[in-house]
Amino acid sequence: MLFVKLRVKRGADYQSYEVPYEEGMTVLSALQRVKEEIDPSLTFRHFCRAGICGTCTIMINGFPKLACKEQVLPYVLFGQELVLEPLANFKVIRDLAVDNDGVLKKVKDMHLWIKEKRGQIRIEPELSKRIESSADCILCFACQSYCPQVLEEGYAGPLFFAKLYRLYLDPREEEKEKRSRQTILEGRLYHCLSCNKCNNVCPKEVEPANLIRSLMKLMDVPV
Ligand code: FES
């Protein structure tokens, strides 16, 4: 029988667990098995279990990933332990659960959505395709947790500017110039290093770094 080895960060320590491997097992299902059969006190977040809600993101062997999408089989076959930690750059509530209220509040404070114009506005298919990737963001916070600049003073982070890209391009937004320049200043976009780390970890291929570069070009912001 094959076993999944988990090493879970719990506060200042790590705790090891082992559960039998089942076909199609994900990191989330392995954690659920631990919770159901070994340790009911183990805390982690999840909701849809289908890679849609973005709730289950944790650090898996050093990378932010959706626990419900990450298959354990490759780790099991190579006899590799899964080291599970709470998302970096976030305050830990307990075990693998982090406090993301601050980031959600900032999204609200910065009003990163379209204040629709009156009447019907046709969006050309080509433009719709361009803004599609920004709209695919599921607020999983993987980019925020892997960005080396997020802890720089006042830098909002890749998530905010990927959302701003959509706002800037969407023809329904009446005050895009004013609002976008304001957001760039408030969110201190100049801290972005263009290192592409956010591109590499986004599970929805939003590619925030590419959107940030396009946004800067469109708005003629000096890099
Ligand atoms: Fe919803 Fe993983 S539980 S994305």
PDB file of all heavy atoms in Angstrom, residues 111-139:
ATOM      1  N   HIS A 111     -11.892  50.235  -4.758  1.00  0.00           N
ATOM      2  CA  HIS A 111     -12.993  50.178  -5.744  1.00  0.00           C
ATOM      3  C   HIS A 111     -12.546  49.601  -7.083  1.00  0.00           C
ATOM      4  O   HIS A 111     -12.686  50.250  -8.119  1.00  0.00           O
ATOM      5  CB  HIS A 111     -13.600  51.566  -5.980  1.00  0.00           C
ATOM      6  CG  HIS A 111     -14.197  52.144  -4.746  1.00  0.00           C
ATOM      7  ND1 HIS A 111     -13.556  53.084  -3.976  1.00  0.00           N
ATOM      8  CD2 HIS A 111     -15.355  51.887  -4.113  1.00  0.00           C
ATOM      9  CE1 HIS A 111     -14.306  53.389  -2.935  1.00  0.00           C
ATOM     10  NE2 HIS A 111     -15.398  52.672  -2.978  1.00  0.00           N
ATOM     11  N   LEU A 112     -11.972  48.405  -7.019  1.00  0.00           N
ATOM     12  CA  LEU A 112     -11.441  47.828  -8.260  1.00  0.00           C
ATOM     13  C   LEU A 112     -12.510  47.082  -9.059  1.00  0.00           C
ATOM     14  O   LEU A 112     -12.374  45.921  -9.389  1.00  0.00           O
ATOM     15  CB  LEU A 112     -10.260  46.908  -7.937  1.00  0.00           C
ATOM     16  CG  LEU A 112      -8.995  47.670  -7.517  1.00  0.00           C
ATOM     17  CD1 LEU A 112      -7.927  46.733  -7.041  1.00  0.00           C
ATOM     18  CD2 LEU A 112      -8.473  48.508  -8.681  1.00  0.00           C
ATOM     19  N   TRP A 113     -13.569  47.758  -9.335  1.00  0.00           N
ATOM     20  CA  TRP A 113     -14.591  47.201 -10.206  1.00  0.00           C
ATOM     21  C   TRP A 113     -15.138  48.317 -11.079  1.00  0.00           C
ATOM     22  O   TRP A 113     -14.897  49.489 -10.839  1.00  0.00           O
ATOM     23  CB  TRP A 113     -15.712  46.541  -9.401  1.00  0.00           C
ATOM     24  CG  TRP A 113     -16.348  47.426  -8.379  1.00  0.00           C
ATOM     25  CD1 TRP A 113     -17.326  48.352  -8.587  1.00  0.00           C
ATOM     26  CD2 TRP A 113     -16.019  47.484  -6.980  1.00  0.00           C
ATOM     27  NE1 TRP A 113     -17.632  48.982  -7.413  1.00  0.00           N
ATOM     28  CE2 TRP A 113     -16.864  48.472  -6.412  1.00  0.00           C
ATOM     29  CE3 TRP A 113     -15.128  46.798  -6.163  1.00  0.00           C
ATOM     30  CZ2 TRP A 113     -16.820  48.783  -5.059  1.00  0.00           C
ATOM     31  CZ3 TRP A 113     -15.088  47.121  -4.817  1.00  0.00           C
ATOM     32  CH2 TRP A 113     -15.923  48.095  -4.267  1.00  0.00           C
ATOM     33  N   ILE A 114     -15.901  47.898 -12.099  1.00  0.00           N
ATOM     34  CA  ILE A 114     -16.407  48.865 -13.081  1.00  0.00           C
ATOM     35  C   ILE A 114     -17.626  49.582 -12.507  1.00  0.00           C
ATOM     36  O   ILE A 114     -18.560  48.944 -12.045  1.00  0.00           O
ATOM     37  CB  ILE A 114     -16.855  48.128 -14.386  1.00  0.00           C
ATOM     38  CG1 ILE A 114     -15.819  47.103 -14.839  1.00  0.00           C
ATOM     39  CG2 ILE A 114     -17.234  49.117 -15.480  1.00  0.00           C
ATOM     40  CD1 ILE A 114     -14.532  47.649 -15.307  1.00  0.00           C
ATOM     41  N   LYS A 115     -17.562  50.922 -12.532  1.00  0.00           N
ATOM     42  CA  LYS A 115     -18.786  51.675 -12.223  1.00  0.00           C
ATOM     43  C   LYS A 115     -19.450  51.892 -13.583  1.00  0.00           C
ATOM     44  O   LYS A 115     -19.042  52.786 -14.323  1.00  0.00           O
ATOM     45  CB  LYS A 115     -18.429  53.026 -11.597  1.00  0.00           C
ATOM     46  CG  LYS A 115     -17.792  52.928 -10.234  1.00  0.00           C
ATOM     47  CD  LYS A 115     -17.470  54.344  -9.776  1.00  0.00           C
ATOM     48  CE  LYS A 115     -16.664  54.307  -8.509  1.00  0.00           C
ATOM     49  NZ  LYS A 115     -16.105  55.620  -8.169  1.00  0.00           N
ATOM     50  N   GLU A 116     -20.404  51.048 -13.906  1.00  0.00           N
ATOM     51  CA  GLU A 116     -20.923  51.018 -15.276  1.00  0.00           C
ATOM     52  C   GLU A 116     -21.490  52.340 -15.788  1.00  0.00           C
ATOM     53  O   GLU A 116     -22.156  53.048 -15.065  1.00  0.00           O
ATOM     54  CB  GLU A 116     -22.031  49.971 -15.355  1.00  0.00           C
ATOM     55  CG  GLU A 116     -21.563  48.708 -16.039  1.00  0.00           C
ATOM     56  CD  GLU A 116     -22.674  47.724 -16.180  1.00  0.00           C
ATOM     57  OE1 GLU A 116     -23.454  47.896 -17.124  1.00  0.00           O
ATOM     58  OE2 GLU A 116     -22.749  46.807 -15.358  1.00  0.00           O
ATOM     59  N   LYS A 117     -21.222  52.613 -17.074  1.00  0.00           N
ATOM     60  CA  LYS A 117     -21.831  53.749 -17.755  1.00  0.00           C
ATOM     61  C   LYS A 117     -23.286  53.420 -18.025  1.00  0.00           C
ATOM     62  O   LYS A 117     -23.640  52.253 -18.121  1.00  0.00           O
ATOM     63  CB  LYS A 117     -21.152  53.931 -19.120  1.00  0.00           C
ATOM     64  CG  LYS A 117     -19.966  54.840 -19.135  1.00  0.00           C
ATOM     65  CD  LYS A 117     -19.479  54.924 -20.571  1.00  0.00           C
ATOM     66  CE  LYS A 117     -18.320  55.871 -20.714  1.00  0.00           C
ATOM     67  NZ  LYS A 117     -17.801  55.868 -22.084  1.00  0.00           N
ATOM     68  N   ARG A 118     -24.088  54.428 -18.233  1.00  0.00           N
ATOM     69  CA  ARG A 118     -25.479  54.169 -18.568  1.00  0.00           C
ATOM     70  C   ARG A 118     -25.581  53.696 -20.013  1.00  0.00           C
ATOM     71  O   ARG A 118     -24.744  54.017 -20.838  1.00  0.00           O
ATOM     72  CB  ARG A 118     -26.313  55.439 -18.395  1.00  0.00           C
ATOM     73  CG  ARG A 118     -26.483  55.781 -16.929  1.00  0.00           C
ATOM     74  CD  ARG A 118     -27.844  56.411 -16.694  1.00  0.00           C
ATOM     75  NE  ARG A 118     -27.877  56.846 -15.298  1.00  0.00           N
ATOM     76  CZ  ARG A 118     -27.900  58.117 -14.935  1.00  0.00           C
ATOM     77  NH1 ARG A 118     -27.947  59.044 -15.836  1.00  0.00           N
ATOM     78  NH2 ARG A 118     -27.920  58.425 -13.668  1.00  0.00           N
ATOM     79  N   GLY A 119     -26.641  52.952 -20.318  1.00  0.00           N
ATOM     80  CA  GLY A 119     -26.881  52.509 -21.690  1.00  0.00           C
ATOM     81  C   GLY A 119     -26.042  51.288 -22.047  1.00  0.00           C
ATOM     82  O   GLY A 119     -25.224  50.840 -21.246  1.00  0.00           O
ATOM     83  N   GLN A 120     -26.299  50.778 -23.236  1.00  0.00           N
ATOM     84  CA  GLN A 120     -25.607  49.562 -23.657  1.00  0.00           C
ATOM     85  C   GLN A 120     -24.312  49.893 -24.372  1.00  0.00           C
ATOM     86  O   GLN A 120     -24.282  50.771 -25.238  1.00  0.00           O
ATOM     87  CB  GLN A 120     -26.510  48.767 -24.590  1.00  0.00           C
ATOM     88  CG  GLN A 120     -27.564  47.991 -23.827  1.00  0.00           C
ATOM     89  CD  GLN A 120     -28.261  47.000 -24.717  1.00  0.00           C
ATOM     90  OE1 GLN A 120     -28.260  47.120 -25.930  1.00  0.00           O
ATOM     91  NE2 GLN A 120     -28.880  46.015 -24.095  1.00  0.00           N
ATOM     92  N   ILE A 121     -23.272  49.191 -24.014  1.00  0.00           N
ATOM     93  CA  ILE A 121     -21.992  49.406 -24.684  1.00  0.00           C
ATOM     94  C   ILE A 121     -21.512  48.063 -25.213  1.00  0.00           C
ATOM     95  O   ILE A 121     -21.453  47.088 -24.458  1.00  0.00           O
ATOM     96  CB  ILE A 121     -20.967  50.005 -23.709  1.00  0.00           C
ATOM     97  CG1 ILE A 121     -21.401  51.427 -23.356  1.00  0.00           C
ATOM     98  CG2 ILE A 121     -19.563  50.001 -24.308  1.00  0.00           C
ATOM     99  CD1 ILE A 121     -20.503  52.126 -22.406  1.00  0.00           C
ATOM    100  N   ARG A 122     -21.219  48.039 -26.500  1.00  0.00           N
ATOM    101  CA  ARG A 122     -20.778  46.780 -27.108  1.00  0.00           C
ATOM    102  C   ARG A 122     -19.270  46.601 -26.854  1.00  0.00           C
ATOM    103  O   ARG A 122     -18.482  47.520 -27.058  1.00  0.00           O
ATOM    104  CB  ARG A 122     -21.071  46.828 -28.608  1.00  0.00           C
ATOM    105  CG  ARG A 122     -20.684  45.575 -29.342  1.00  0.00           C
ATOM    106  CD  ARG A 122     -21.039  45.687 -30.825  1.00  0.00           C
ATOM    107  NE  ARG A 122     -20.154  44.852 -31.621  1.00  0.00           N
ATOM    108  CZ  ARG A 122     -20.287  43.548 -31.734  1.00  0.00           C
ATOM    109  NH1 ARG A 122     -21.256  42.915 -31.110  1.00  0.00           N
ATOM    110  NH2 ARG A 122     -19.436  42.849 -32.467  1.00  0.00           N
ATOM    111  N   ILE A 123     -18.922  45.414 -26.376  1.00  0.00           N
ATOM    112  CA  ILE A 123     -17.495  45.121 -26.195  1.00  0.00           C
ATOM    113  C   ILE A 123     -17.071  44.197 -27.330  1.00  0.00           C
ATOM    114  O   ILE A 123     -17.641  43.114 -27.494  1.00  0.00           O
ATOM    115  CB  ILE A 123     -17.229  44.462 -24.828  1.00  0.00           C
ATOM    116  CG1 ILE A 123     -17.655  45.418 -23.706  1.00  0.00           C
ATOM    117  CG2 ILE A 123     -15.757  44.094 -24.666  1.00  0.00           C
ATOM    118  CD1 ILE A 123     -17.419  44.900 -22.314  1.00  0.00           C
ATOM    119  N   GLU A 124     -16.124  44.656 -28.135  1.00  0.00           N
ATOM    120  CA  GLU A 124     -15.675  43.854 -29.270  1.00  0.00           C
ATOM    121  C   GLU A 124     -15.056  42.551 -28.769  1.00  0.00           C
ATOM    122  O   GLU A 124     -14.401  42.543 -27.719  1.00  0.00           O
ATOM    123  CB  GLU A 124     -14.625  44.630 -30.083  1.00  0.00           C
ATOM    124  CG  GLU A 124     -15.135  45.903 -30.731  1.00  0.00           C
ATOM    125  CD  GLU A 124     -16.304  45.670 -31.675  1.00  0.00           C
ATOM    126  OE1 GLU A 124     -16.341  44.591 -32.313  1.00  0.00           O
ATOM    127  OE2 GLU A 124     -17.187  46.540 -31.765  1.00  0.00           O
ATOM    128  N   PRO A 125     -15.271  41.450 -29.523  1.00  0.00           N
ATOM    129  CA  PRO A 125     -14.750  40.145 -29.072  1.00  0.00           C
ATOM    130  C   PRO A 125     -13.249  40.171 -28.780  1.00  0.00           C
ATOM    131  O   PRO A 125     -12.789  39.564 -27.823  1.00  0.00           O
ATOM    132  CB  PRO A 125     -15.064  39.208 -30.241  1.00  0.00           C
ATOM    133  CG  PRO A 125     -16.131  39.881 -31.014  1.00  0.00           C
ATOM    134  CD  PRO A 125     -16.007  41.355 -30.771  1.00  0.00           C
ATOM    135  N   GLU A 126     -12.509  40.940 -29.588  1.00  0.00           N
ATOM    136  CA  GLU A 126     -11.058  40.976 -29.389  1.00  0.00           C
ATOM    137  C   GLU A 126     -10.695  41.609 -28.038  1.00  0.00           C
ATOM    138  O   GLU A 126      -9.836  41.125 -27.308  1.00  0.00           O
ATOM    139  CB  GLU A 126     -10.418  41.776 -30.531  1.00  0.00           C
ATOM    140  CG  GLU A 126      -8.943  41.503 -30.676  1.00  0.00           C
ATOM    141  CD  GLU A 126      -8.269  42.500 -31.583  1.00  0.00           C
ATOM    142  OE1 GLU A 126      -8.813  42.771 -32.679  1.00  0.00           O
ATOM    143  OE2 GLU A 126      -7.225  43.012 -31.178  1.00  0.00           O
ATOM    144  N   LEU A 127     -11.419  42.690 -27.714  1.00  0.00           N
ATOM    145  CA  LEU A 127     -11.180  43.359 -26.434  1.00  0.00           C
ATOM    146  C   LEU A 127     -11.631  42.459 -25.282  1.00  0.00           C
ATOM    147  O   LEU A 127     -10.960  42.342 -24.254  1.00  0.00           O
ATOM    148  CB  LEU A 127     -11.930  44.700 -26.388  1.00  0.00           C
ATOM    149  CG  LEU A 127     -11.806  45.473 -25.084  1.00  0.00           C
ATOM    150  CD1 LEU A 127     -10.354  45.780 -24.762  1.00  0.00           C
ATOM    151  CD2 LEU A 127     -12.618  46.751 -25.132  1.00  0.00           C
ATOM    152  N   SER A 128     -12.762  41.818 -25.484  1.00  0.00           N
ATOM    153  CA  SER A 128     -13.295  40.915 -24.455  1.00  0.00           C
ATOM    154  C   SER A 128     -12.262  39.842 -24.116  1.00  0.00           C
ATOM    155  O   SER A 128     -12.046  39.499 -22.956  1.00  0.00           O
ATOM    156  CB  SER A 128     -14.588  40.292 -24.983  1.00  0.00           C
ATOM    157  OG  SER A 128     -15.023  39.310 -24.134  1.00  0.00           O
ATOM    158  N   LYS A 129     -11.595  39.355 -25.161  1.00  0.00           N
ATOM    159  CA  LYS A 129     -10.564  38.326 -24.960  1.00  0.00           C
ATOM    160  C   LYS A 129      -9.385  38.893 -24.150  1.00  0.00           C
ATOM    161  O   LYS A 129      -8.832  38.228 -23.291  1.00  0.00           O
ATOM    162  CB  LYS A 129     -10.076  37.839 -26.332  1.00  0.00           C
ATOM    163  CG  LYS A 129      -9.596  36.424 -26.320  1.00  0.00           C
ATOM    164  CD  LYS A 129      -9.420  35.952 -27.747  1.00  0.00           C
ATOM    165  CE  LYS A 129      -8.801  34.609 -27.916  1.00  0.00           C
ATOM    166  NZ  LYS A 129      -8.333  33.855 -26.916  1.00  0.00           N
ATOM    167  N   ARG A 130      -9.049  40.155 -24.427  1.00  0.00           N
ATOM    168  CA  ARG A 130      -7.911  40.771 -23.718  1.00  0.00           C
ATOM    169  C   ARG A 130      -8.187  40.952 -22.230  1.00  0.00           C
ATOM    170  O   ARG A 130      -7.296  40.833 -21.403  1.00  0.00           O
ATOM    171  CB  ARG A 130      -7.571  42.132 -24.344  1.00  0.00           C
ATOM    172  CG  ARG A 130      -6.764  41.997 -25.629  1.00  0.00           C
ATOM    173  CD  ARG A 130      -6.453  43.346 -26.197  1.00  0.00           C
ATOM    174  NE  ARG A 130      -5.389  44.042 -25.487  1.00  0.00           N
ATOM    175  CZ  ARG A 130      -5.098  45.325 -25.661  1.00  0.00           C
ATOM    176  NH1 ARG A 130      -5.810  46.046 -26.488  1.00  0.00           N
ATOM    177  NH2 ARG A 130      -4.114  45.878 -25.002  1.00  0.00           N
ATOM    178  N   ILE A 131      -9.447  41.279 -21.907  1.00  0.00           N
ATOM    179  CA  ILE A 131      -9.725  41.513 -20.483  1.00  0.00           C
ATOM    180  C   ILE A 131     -10.133  40.232 -19.755  1.00  0.00           C
ATOM    181  O   ILE A 131     -10.192  40.204 -18.538  1.00  0.00           O
ATOM    182  CB  ILE A 131     -10.788  42.620 -20.253  1.00  0.00           C
ATOM    183  CG1 ILE A 131     -12.098  42.299 -20.935  1.00  0.00           C
ATOM    184  CG2 ILE A 131     -10.275  43.955 -20.673  1.00  0.00           C
ATOM    185  CD1 ILE A 131     -13.158  43.382 -20.724  1.00  0.00           C
ATOM    186  N   GLU A 132     -10.359  39.184 -20.562  1.00  0.00           N
ATOM    187  CA  GLU A 132     -10.796  37.906 -19.992  1.00  0.00           C
ATOM    188  C   GLU A 132      -9.836  37.383 -18.928  1.00  0.00           C
ATOM    189  O   GLU A 132     -10.253  36.952 -17.858  1.00  0.00           O
ATOM    190  CB  GLU A 132     -10.870  36.883 -21.120  1.00  0.00           C
ATOM    191  CG  GLU A 132     -11.843  35.768 -20.883  1.00  0.00           C
ATOM    192  CD  GLU A 132     -11.984  34.955 -22.167  1.00  0.00           C
ATOM    193  OE1 GLU A 132     -11.117  34.099 -22.376  1.00  0.00           O
ATOM    194  OE2 GLU A 132     -12.917  35.217 -22.940  1.00  0.00           O
ATOM    195  N   SER A 133      -8.531  37.443 -19.216  1.00  0.00           N
ATOM    196  CA  SER A 133      -7.592  36.825 -18.284  1.00  0.00           C
ATOM    197  C   SER A 133      -7.606  37.545 -16.936  1.00  0.00           C
ATOM    198  O   SER A 133      -7.541  36.906 -15.881  1.00  0.00           O
ATOM    199  CB  SER A 133      -6.172  36.803 -18.854  1.00  0.00           C
ATOM    200  OG  SER A 133      -5.709  38.104 -19.026  1.00  0.00           O
ATOM    201  N   SER A 134      -7.766  38.861 -16.968  1.00  0.00           N
ATOM    202  CA  SER A 134      -7.839  39.602 -15.706  1.00  0.00           C
ATOM    203  C   SER A 134      -9.098  39.208 -14.942  1.00  0.00           C
ATOM    204  O   SER A 134      -9.086  39.060 -13.716  1.00  0.00           O
ATOM    205  CB  SER A 134      -7.838  41.102 -16.004  1.00  0.00           C
ATOM    206  OG  SER A 134      -8.139  41.821 -14.854  1.00  0.00           O
ATOM    207  N   ALA A 135     -10.187  39.007 -15.689  1.00  0.00           N
ATOM    208  CA  ALA A 135     -11.457  38.653 -15.045  1.00  0.00           C
ATOM    209  C   ALA A 135     -11.440  37.223 -14.499  1.00  0.00           C
ATOM    210  O   ALA A 135     -12.300  36.849 -13.712  1.00  0.00           O
ATOM    211  CB  ALA A 135     -12.597  38.821 -16.042  1.00  0.00           C
ATOM    212  N   ASP A 136     -10.461  36.429 -14.909  1.00  0.00           N
ATOM    213  CA  ASP A 136     -10.379  35.034 -14.436  1.00  0.00           C
ATOM    214  C   ASP A 136      -9.871  34.910 -13.001  1.00  0.00           C
ATOM    215  O   ASP A 136      -9.871  33.829 -12.430  1.00  0.00           O
ATOM    216  CB  ASP A 136      -9.438  34.215 -15.344  1.00  0.00           C
ATOM    217  CG  ASP A 136     -10.137  33.781 -16.616  1.00  0.00           C
ATOM    218  OD1 ASP A 136     -11.371  33.887 -16.673  1.00  0.00           O
ATOM    219  OD2 ASP A 136      -9.435  33.348 -17.554  1.00  0.00           O
ATOM    220  N   CYS A 137      -9.377  36.008 -12.432  1.00  0.00           N
ATOM    221  CA  CYS A 137      -8.814  35.961 -11.062  1.00  0.00           C
ATOM    222  C   CYS A 137      -9.873  35.464 -10.078  1.00  0.00           C
ATOM    223  O   CYS A 137     -11.003  35.939 -10.068  1.00  0.00           O
ATOM    224  CB  CYS A 137      -8.342  37.359 -10.674  1.00  0.00           C
ATOM    225  SG  CYS A 137      -7.913  37.517  -8.926  1.00  0.00           S
ATOM    226  N   ILE A 138      -9.491  34.473  -9.259  1.00  0.00           N
ATOM    227  CA  ILE A 138     -10.443  33.908  -8.284  1.00  0.00           C
ATOM    228  C   ILE A 138     -10.112  34.340  -6.849  1.00  0.00           C
ATOM    229  O   ILE A 138     -10.604  33.748  -5.896  1.00  0.00           O
ATOM    230  CB  ILE A 138     -10.501  32.364  -8.381  1.00  0.00           C
ATOM    231  CG1 ILE A 138      -9.104  31.744  -8.171  1.00  0.00           C
ATOM    232  CG2 ILE A 138     -11.134  31.917  -9.675  1.00  0.00           C
ATOM    233  CD1 ILE A 138      -9.108  30.236  -8.012  1.00  0.00           C
ATOM    234  N   LEU A 139      -9.251  35.344  -6.716  1.00  0.00           N
ATOM    235  CA  LEU A 139      -8.868  35.841  -5.381  1.00  0.00           C
ATOM    236  C   LEU A 139      -8.323  34.717  -4.492  1.00  0.00           C
ATOM    237  O   LEU A 139      -8.747  34.561  -3.349  1.00  0.00           O
ATOM    238  CB  LEU A 139     -10.066  36.511  -4.692  1.00  0.00           C
ATOM    239  CG  LEU A 139     -10.526  37.858  -5.229  1.00  0.00           C
ATOM    240  CD1 LEU A 139     -11.790  38.313  -4.514  1.00  0.00           C
ATOM    241  CD2 LEU A 139      -9.443  38.915  -5.080  1.00  0.00           C
TER     242      LEU A 139
END
